[in-house]
């Protein structure tokens, strides 16, 4: 890592002063690292925390959110560059350390662009305004007679001056608080297909991921953790481990009962990762397995399934479902079981920590750099000012890396051995000691009248809540978890949503798309079952269910517009040529879902031949408001299709005697190249406020596949993964 | 002490004979472009070229790499550089973590088969997992690379 040996960024952060929740747009201070050191030749202008214009014209823009493949570094900085009228080729991106002065940095919930789009625009526009003022001052003319274009300021006489040549004057001027934003029709980068700024370094091996961080004298560590969540170390014997060549030390690390506290265990420290792994294998540890040792996820599924087959706690009710079912000419019931999942980002959890007297520096693939900083400072009992969190590239996150338990482990080990250390999880550790996507059982009942219209809709669900990670013992869904089912925008006069009890026995966490995976599955498969019972084409049936154009009530200030929902569905159907003649054994299925404030529909074409399923085509459509970078949005939708296929066909984590049974990619499989269908993505053009992109593409895939399989084979598979039915 | 030839240069390393090549490259020599994904020969993140073949370096004891021509993603090989260009053009990487391995596998493929069929691509690239799901772009970039080469 290049700048590790240089001056720490800590000193710059100290200079910032008071923390604030929002962005400090006009702060003169700089959080820039050593690349910003001024020399005689190079003068730097920092109008705010996100921009540094150098006198040679080079422009450094700061990305405050973590890059994990969603293209956020490019998307956010391109917005600044656009408003600034900067030349994109002159832009370099600098990654922010974890610091409240950047505002919220939690890279989670598909909200980075949504929440920062306006701020980034203002930052770019304010910087441009100062440069215009600087040129006006130099030319001694009015600012109104100047305009910015492609890294220059022009005046009405046709003179021009380069951005870099204005740095010295710009430094002396006030940065305006009120700024004029561009007319969107003049956008140069926003709304286009930009290639990632990082693509070259990601393709030549030079991008630095957490796992690639290297410090002088750095040691490597692997941790043996209890196979059962929250089990404790009783005793351990390090003799055999210490005999392994390269092993230096064995230290116990504490369990911390906090949402993101480490599980605790015994760490083996070595001169290289391999020796640390071998030493860890050689350790003898006696565990107290604790309260979760009886967890059997198969039995648990039976329990929560029993819970959804009886009346639960009502979370929302409309009309009278019981009466609707009595009066219905037909009622149908169905239930769905979806297992635990694990993120398995390609880069395992890992972190480098260097704890010195009273301070600590971290290099980590962290989705939530500020929370990481807080957790480390709490653990070390030192002030946050003395903790620096450098954010590396993340080799995938999917929610796993917003829980910094692995970073605290690194800090604990570094403190114990008094040296910089990199803690590396094996893939087995990653799969067996994660924060798991919940396990869900759902029951649905629907009533149809004689015309095939749905008159009653009952949805019951039971799953261990993410809330259990924050308040141990919580055994019912959080309100936002229930809302993703209860907000289904169907025009049905009688609807009821109920929850059943479901205590947690492993750490439950969020995984790409979160609760929308089970809810989106049950809603979309059940709607397809109803369409079949009614004898109506699934597309027409679904459009009727959504019904009239209207704004649905939500708990946020974004409008949930049913017209947009229908539009994505119709567009996906049109793109896939829904209803067209298909080869023998082939059929299409569809699903539509609103999540992370975006609207997504997918139409999937499968074939079922000799009881084996193959996915041939996926047509996905997303309406995420104004599309900031279409290249990355398309890529996210393509990736979401694959992520959805992996969970549909293979995703299954089970526990027996409290321990996770899967361990690596042979028993927690992923879609691979030979199974990849043609994926077609359309992004709806509009100028609404930008909404989520990274996650909303996932929930529709599994139900669309299941619906297509039904159409092709007449068989309805209601539980995931499909490998359990030997379909792959 | 063993001597390894990586990217055209010789490296003297002090490593146990059974240490997998991956860790020698990453932790002792210090080239971090080659990645660790599973440690079990299941994901392809650790691919390097050994005498032109793509091998999972997490599975190869370093003693077996002595005397071989090793190339990592940081190295030079005509097909590798052409593929890297195509990777850029198609904006292939998402998180990028699997991409060194993908590129090495693709390099070996194009070196043994200048004009691979779709099935060849599937068979070769089936060794590499991309959790972000960039497969379609990988396939397009490989095909583009073939076109580039054929055009000269
Ligand atoms: S790390 Fe070698 S194949 Fe996965
Ligand atoms: S690009 Fe992230 S794993 Fe392939």
């Amino acid at each position: 890592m290049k700048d590790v040996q240089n001056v720490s960024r800590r000193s710059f952060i100290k200079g910032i002063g008071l923390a604030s929740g929002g962005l400090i747009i006009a702060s003169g201070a700089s959080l820039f690292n050593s690349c910003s050191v001024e020399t005689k030749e190079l003068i730097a202008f920092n109008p705010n925390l996100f921009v540094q214009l150098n006198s040679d014209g080079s422009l450094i823009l700061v990305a405050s959110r973590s890059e994990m493949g969603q293209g956020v570094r490019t998307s956010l900085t391109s917005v600044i560059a656009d408003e600034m009228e900067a030349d994109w080729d002159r832009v370099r991106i600098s990654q922010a350390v974890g610091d409240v002065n950047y505002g919220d940095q939690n890279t989670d919930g598909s909200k980075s662009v949504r929440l920062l789009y306006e701020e980034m625009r203002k930052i770019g526009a304010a910087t441009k305004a100062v440069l215009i003022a600087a040129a006006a001052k130099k030319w001694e003319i009015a600012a109104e007679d100047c305009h910015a274009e492609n890294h220059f300021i022009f005046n009405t006489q046709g003179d021009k001056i380069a951005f870099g040549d204005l740095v010295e004057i710009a430094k002396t001027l006030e940065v305006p608080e009120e700024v004029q934003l561009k007319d969107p029709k003049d956008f140069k980068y926003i709304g286009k297909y930009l290639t990632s700024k990082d693509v070259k370094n990601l393709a030549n091996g030079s991008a630095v991921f957490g796992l690639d961080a290297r410090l002088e004298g750095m040691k490597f560590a692997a941790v043996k953790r209890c196979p059962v969540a929250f089990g404790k170390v009783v005793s351990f014997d390090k003799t055999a481990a210490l005999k392994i060549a390269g092993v230096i030390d064995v230290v116990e690390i504490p369990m911390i009962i906090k949402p993101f506290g480490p599980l605790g265990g015994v760490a083996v420290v070595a001169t290289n990762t391999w020796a640390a792994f071998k030493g860890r294998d050689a350790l003898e540890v006696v565990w107290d397995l604790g309260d979760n040792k009886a967890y059997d996820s198969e039995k648990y599924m039976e329990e929560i399934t029993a819970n959804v087959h009886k009346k639960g706690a009502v979370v929302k009710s409309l009309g009278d479902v019981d009466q609707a079912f009595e009066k219905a000419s037909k009622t149908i019931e169905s239930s769905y079981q979806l297992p635990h999942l694990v993120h398995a980002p390609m880069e395992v959890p890992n972190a480098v920590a260097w704890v010195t007297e009273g301070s600590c520096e971290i290099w980590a693939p962290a989705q939530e750099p500020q929370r990481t900083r807080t957790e480390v400072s709490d653990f070390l009992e030192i002030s946050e000012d003395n903790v620096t969190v450098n954010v590396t590239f993340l080799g995938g996150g999917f929610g796993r890396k917003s829980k910094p338990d692995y970073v605290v482990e690194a800090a604990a080990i570094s403190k114990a051995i008094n040296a910089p250390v990199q803690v590396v999880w094996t893939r087995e550790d990653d799969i067996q000691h994660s924060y798991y996507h919940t396990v869900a059982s759902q029951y649905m009942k629907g009533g149809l009248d004689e015309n095939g219209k749905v008159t009653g809709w009952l949805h019951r669900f039971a799953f261990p809540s993410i809330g259990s990670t924050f308040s141990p013992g919580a055994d019912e869904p959080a309100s936002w978890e229930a809302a993703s089912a209860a907000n289904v925008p169907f025009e049905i006069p009688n609807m009821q949503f109920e929850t059943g009890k479901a205590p947690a026995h492993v750490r439950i966490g969020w995984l790409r798309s979160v609760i929308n995976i089970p809810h989106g599955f049950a809603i979309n498969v059940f709607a397809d079952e109803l369409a079949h019972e009614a004898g109506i084409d699934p597309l027409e049936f679904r459009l009727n269910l959504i019904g009239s154009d209207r704004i649905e009530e939500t708990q946020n200030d974004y409008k949930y517009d049913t017209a947009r929902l229908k539009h994505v569905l119709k567009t996906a159907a049109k793109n896939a040529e829904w209803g067209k003649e298909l080869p023998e054994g082939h059929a299409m299925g569809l699903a539509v879902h609103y999540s992370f404030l975006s609207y997504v529909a997918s139409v999937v074409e499968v074939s079922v031949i000799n009881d084996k399923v193959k996915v041939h085509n996926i047509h996905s459509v997303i309406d995420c408001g104004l599309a900031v970078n279409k290249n990355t949005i398309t890529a996210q939708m393509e990736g979401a299709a694959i992520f959805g296929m992996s969970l549909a066909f293979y995703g299954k984590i089970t526990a027996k005697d409290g321990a996770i049974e899967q361990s690596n990619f042979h028993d927690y499989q992923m879609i691979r190249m030979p199974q990849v269908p043609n994926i077609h993505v359309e992004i709806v053009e509009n100028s609404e406020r930008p909404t989520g992109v990274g996650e909303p593409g996932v929930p529709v895939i599994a139900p669309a596949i299941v619906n297509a399989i039904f159409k092709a084979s007449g068989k309805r598979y209601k539980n995931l993964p499909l490998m359990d039915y030997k379909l792959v | 002490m063993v001597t390894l030839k990586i990217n055209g240069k010789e490296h003297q390393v002090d490593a146990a004979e059974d240490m997998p090549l991956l860790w020698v490259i990453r932790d002792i020599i210090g080239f971090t472009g080659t990645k660790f994904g599973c440690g079990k020969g299941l994901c392809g993140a650790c691919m390097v070229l050994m005498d032109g073949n793509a091998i999972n370096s997490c599975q190869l004891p370093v003693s077996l790499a002595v005397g071989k021509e090793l190339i990592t993603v940081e190295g030079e090989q005509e097909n590798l550089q052409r593929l890297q260009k195509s990777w850029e053009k198609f904006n292939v990487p998402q998180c990028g973590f699997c991409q060194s391995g993908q590129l090495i596998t693709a390099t070996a493929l194009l070196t043994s088969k200048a004009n691979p069929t779709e099935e060849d691509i599937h068979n070769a690239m089936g060794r590499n997992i991309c959790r972000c799901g960039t497969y379609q772009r990988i396939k397009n970039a490989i095909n583009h690379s073939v076109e580039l080469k054929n055009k000269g």
Side-chain angles (χ1 to χ4, degrees):
Chain A
M1 190 168 246
K2 244 178 270 129
D3 48 16
V4 169
Q5 260 81 297
N6 294 328
V7 191
S8 157
R9 298 174 198 198
R10 214 172 285 152
S11 51
F12 290 94
I13 290 169
K14 275 195 188 130
I16 291 287
L18 211 73
S20 112
L23 304 176
I24 300 177
I25 295 201
S27 165
S30 167
L31 284 189
F32 290 90
N33 59 1
S34 44
C35 64
S36 74
V37 173
E38 293 193 7
T39 61
K40 255 211 193 91
E41 295 77 41
L42 198 68
I43 303 164
F45 166 50
N46 294 109
N48 52 60
L49 296 179
F50 288 79
V51 177
Q52 175 169 312
L53 177 65
N54 294 321
S55 50
D56 65 356
S58 59
L59 177 63
I60 301 168
L61 299 179
V62 171
S64 59
R65 298 290 176 125
S66 304
E67 180 61 61
M68 46 192 172
Q70 83 285 39
V72 75
R73 279 163 53 95
T74 296
S75 301
L76 290 179
T77 53
S78 72
V79 174
I80 304 178
D82 201 328
E83 282 288 349
M84 220 184 125
E85 299 298 351
D87 176 356
W88 183 238
D89 290 339
R90 309 293 301 271
V91 172
R92 274 187 296 147
I93 301 174
S94 170
Q95 187 69 38
V97 296
D99 195 293
V100 288
N101 286 298
Y102 288 110
D104 181 4
Q105 290 178 274
N106 185 10
T107 315
D108 216 295
S110 296
K111 56 186 166 34
S112 296
V113 168
R114 168 162 78 85
L115 297 182
L116 291 175
Y117 175 68
E118 284 297 321
E119 295 285 3
M120 295 298 118
R121 288 186 70 187
K122 284 182 198 155
I123 281 169
T127 308
K128 179 178 76 178
V130 180
L131 292 171
I132 286 178
K137 188 168 177 195
K138 190 176 170 90
W139 286 323
E140 295 177 346
I141 59 174
E144 288 70 45
D145 294 328
C146 303
H147 76 278
E149 201 181 313
N150 206 32
H151 240 67
F152 285 92
I153 305 292
F154 291 81
N155 66 23
T156 42
Q157 266 82 58
D159 304 319
K160 66 172 183 177
I161 181 162
F163 277 9
D165 294 335
L166 291 165
V167 161
E168 256 179 287
I169 307 176
K171 278 170 80 89
T172 66
L173 303 178
E174 286 279 308
V175 180
E177 305 227 341
E178 293 293 315
V179 288
Q180 179 76 41
L181 297 179
K182 280 172 77 166
D183 184 332
K185 76 173 180 0
D186 299 324
F187 284 154
K188 288 200 180 67
Y189 312 128
I190 298 169
K192 305 291 186 294
Y193 284 84
L194 283 192
T195 297
S196 161
K197 269 276 176 201
D198 300 310
V199 69
K200 197 182 182 117
N201 291 345
L202 292 171
N204 66 18
S206 68
V208 176
F209 293 88
L211 209 56
D212 304 329
R214 293 288 181 265
L215 296 179
E216 194 72 34
M218 187 183 93
K219 311 291 181 238
F220 298 84
V223 180
K224 195 165 185 129
R225 302 169 193 82
C226 183
V228 178
F230 303 115
K232 289 193 187 87
V233 177
V234 174
S235 63
F236 62 95
D237 181 350
K238 55 187 174 182
T239 326
L242 285 170
K243 282 194 187 127
I244 308 269
V247 171
I248 302 165
D249 206 350
V250 176
V251 294
E252 186 173 344
I253 53 173
M255 179 197 309
I256 298 175
I257 302 291
K258 278 176 82 181
F260 305 132
L263 287 167
V266 184
V268 174
V269 183
T271 54
N272 62 76
T273 316
W274 171 241
F277 287 176
K278 272 181 65 172
R280 201 268 304 259
D281 291 346
L283 266 185
E284 306 271 351
V285 183
V286 178
W287 305 104
D288 166 4
L289 299 175
D291 294 346
N292 294 316
K293 64 171 179 276
Y295 184 42
D296 177 322
S297 55
E298 228 161 274
K299 283 213 192 91
Y300 183 82
M301 184 65 96
E302 285 167 21
E303 282 165 37
I304 58 174
T305 300
N307 286 350
V308 294
H309 279 84
K310 57 187 189 218
K311 191 161 171 62
V314 176
V315 292
K316 183 173 163 184
S317 186
L318 219 96
D320 185 336
V321 269
D322 293 329
Q323 217 176 59
F325 294 145
E326 259 165 50
K327 285 201 204 137
S329 67
K330 215 188 232 173
T331 60
I332 61 165
E333 294 168 76
S334 233
S335 61
Y336 309 91
Q337 299 179 338
L338 276 72
H340 285 299
L341 301 172
V342 71
H343 321 74
M346 221 52 221
E347 178 201 31
V348 289
N350 69 86
V352 171
W354 189 2
V355 179
T356 47
E357 198 56 50
S359 67
C360 175
E361 189 147 5
I362 299 288
W363 290 263
Q367 275 180 251
E368 218 310 23
Q370 288 172 26
R371 183 68 187 244
T372 303
R373 192 183 192 198
T374 307
E375 295 292 335
V376 170
S377 92
D378 282 0
F379 172 76
L380 294 171
E381 297 178 336
I382 57 176
S383 142
E384 280 194 21
D385 291 345
N386 295 327
V387 176
T388 304
V389 175
N390 302 289
V391 180
T392 63
F393 278 97
L394 281 68
F398 312 117
R400 176 63 185 92
K401 291 173 183 166
S402 44
K403 294 119 184 157
D405 56 331
Y406 54 97
V407 186
V408 181
E409 285 181 348
I413 301 167
S414 175
K415 186 178 174 184
I417 65 166
N418 199 16
V421 70
Q422 179 173 61
V423 69
V424 182
W425 288 41
T426 59
R427 178 59 62 194
E428 288 77 8
D429 294 339
D430 171 53
I431 289 183
Q432 300 184 330
H433 301 288
S434 194
Y435 288 80
Y436 299 93
H437 172 76
T438 196
V439 44
S441 189
Q442 298 173 84
Y443 164 88
M444 307 201 68
K445 184 171 180 182
L448 293 166
D449 69 12
E450 57 286 357
N451 302 317
K453 214 172 133 28
V454 183
T455 52
W457 174 277
L458 172 64
H459 187 175
R460 282 192 202 132
F461 36 88
F463 53 84
S465 167
I466 285 172
S468 63
T469 294
F470 295 88
S471 2
D475 60 1
E476 284 194 329
S479 62
W480 62 270
E481 285 171 319
S484 90
N487 283 349
V488 64
F490 291 165
E491 256 177 350
I492 300 172
N494 307 290
M495 296 179 101
Q496 189 151 306
F497 304 87
E498 300 172 11
T499 67
K501 292 254 184 240
H505 299 289
V506 290
R507 299 193 293 182
I508 302 293
W510 47 101
L511 171 143
R512 189 179 193 177
S513 306
V514 203
I515 201 61
N516 293 287
I517 293 171
H519 286 157
F521 183 78
I523 294 166
N524 277 289
V525 175
F526 192 58
D528 210 70
E529 289 176 57
L530 289 171
H532 178 73
E533 287 298 325
I536 299 172
D537 175 78
L539 173 63
E540 185 192 331
F541 188 83
R542 192 66 58 89
L543 291 168
N544 289 338
L545 264 185
I546 300 168
S548 60
D549 292 356
R550 65 194 187 280
I551 304 298
E552 285 278 303
E553 206 182 303
T554 52
Q555 265 124 36
N556 53 60
D557 62 346
Y558 286 77
K559 296 189 169 104
Y560 185 168
D561 183 340
T562 57
R564 290 170 74 185
L565 192 68
K566 285 185 289 179
H567 180 72
V568 291
L569 180 55
K570 284 187 221 159
T571 311
K574 186 174 108 225
N575 292 349
E577 299 180 64
W578 180 262
K580 79 172 173 189
E581 195 77 39
L582 292 170
E584 182 71 24
H586 287 234
M588 288 184 196
L590 61 81
V592 59
H593 192 72
Y594 172 83
S595 61
F596 305 92
L597 310 170
S598 289
Y599 308 79
V600 171
S602 286
V603 173
V604 174
E605 179 190 338
V606 305
S607 64
V608 185
I609 293 166
N610 299 329
D611 287 326
K612 294 289 172 219
V613 174
K614 185 168 168 54
V615 178
H616 296 270
N617 291 295
I618 297 183
H619 284 87
S620 292
V621 178
I622 180 166
D623 176 349
C624 54
L626 182 123
V628 170
N629 181 357
K630 288 180 178 158
N631 198 335
T632 212
I633 296 169
T634 307
Q636 284 302 295
M637 292 299 288
E638 291 164 359
I642 301 295
F643 200 93
M645 280 179 70
S646 284
L647 76 88
F649 285 103
Y650 301 119
K652 184 181 191 177
I653 289 290
T654 53
K656 187 117 199 129
D657 300 327
I660 301 302
E661 294 184 287
Q662 291 71 24
S663 63
N664 208 317
F665 292 126
H666 63 291
D667 54 10
Y668 191 71
Q669 295 185 64
M670 306 277 150
I671 292 294
R672 291 174 185 258
M673 183 67 96
Q675 298 153 296
V676 174
N678 296 312
I679 306 167
H680 177 276
V681 176
E682 180 169 333
I683 303 165
V684 174
E685 291 281 347
N686 71 36
S687 53
E688 301 285 337
R689 284 192 287 168
T691 51
V693 168
E695 298 173 88
V698 174
V700 286
I701 301 298
I705 291 171
V706 163
N707 293 342
I709 295 173
F710 175 76
K711 187 89 185 290
S713 68
K715 294 197 183 110
R716 183 74 68 179
Y717 299 100
K718 299 182 186 178
N719 303 337
L720 293 182
L722 298 170
M723 72 172 178
D724 286 355
Y725 301 104
K726 308 216 171 351
L727 294 171
V728 274
Chain B
M1 275 291 180
V2 292
T3 305
L4 294 178
K5 194 167 172 215
I6 305 181
N7 300 334
K9 266 182 62 187
E10 299 214 327
H11 297 263
Q12 297 265 324
V13 288
D14 187 7
E17 295 220 325
D18 63 341
M19 188 185 223
L21 177 63
L22 170 67
W23 299 113
V24 176
I25 293 175
R26 286 185 54 84
D27 293 357
I28 299 182
I29 297 173
F31 290 159
T32 54
T34 306
K35 304 301 188 198
F36 164 68
C38 70
K40 292 279 155 64
L42 300 165
C43 76
C46 63
M47 288 283 183
V48 299
L49 292 173
M50 185 162 83
D51 289 344
N53 299 314
I55 56 134
N56 285 321
S57 63
C58 72
Q59 295 300 292
L60 191 85
V62 64
S63 54
L64 298 183
V66 174
K68 313 276 185 186
E69 197 75 45
L70 299 169
I71 294 178
T72 69
V73 71
E74 293 97 341
E76 279 173 37
Q77 207 268 19
E78 196 196 336
N79 284 316
L80 175 59
Q81 266 74 58
R82 197 178 293 113
L83 283 160
Q84 284 166 330
K85 286 238 160 61
S86 307
W87 249 239
E88 286 177 40
K89 180 175 160 75
F90 285 82
N91 202 29
V92 172
Q94 286 185 29
C95 82
F97 196 81
C98 73
Q99 300 297 341
S100 325
Q102 306 278 4
L103 281 153
I104 293 292
T105 308
T107 301
L109 167 68
L110 296 191
T111 308
S112 67
K113 285 199 169 107
N115 289 291
T117 61
E118 182 166 35
E119 205 186 325
D120 293 332
I121 295 178
H122 285 179
N123 288 339
M125 302 311 295
R127 298 169 71 194
N128 291 71
I129 293 175
C130 174
R131 180 57 158 155
C132 298
T134 62
Y135 299 111
Q136 178 161 290
R137 290 184 188 221
I138 289 174
K139 205 194 288 188
N140 291 340
I142 292 174
N143 286 328
H144 177 73
S145 219
V146 171
E147 274 167 39
L148 276 182
K149 182 166 188 186
N150 290 344
K151 265 195 240 147

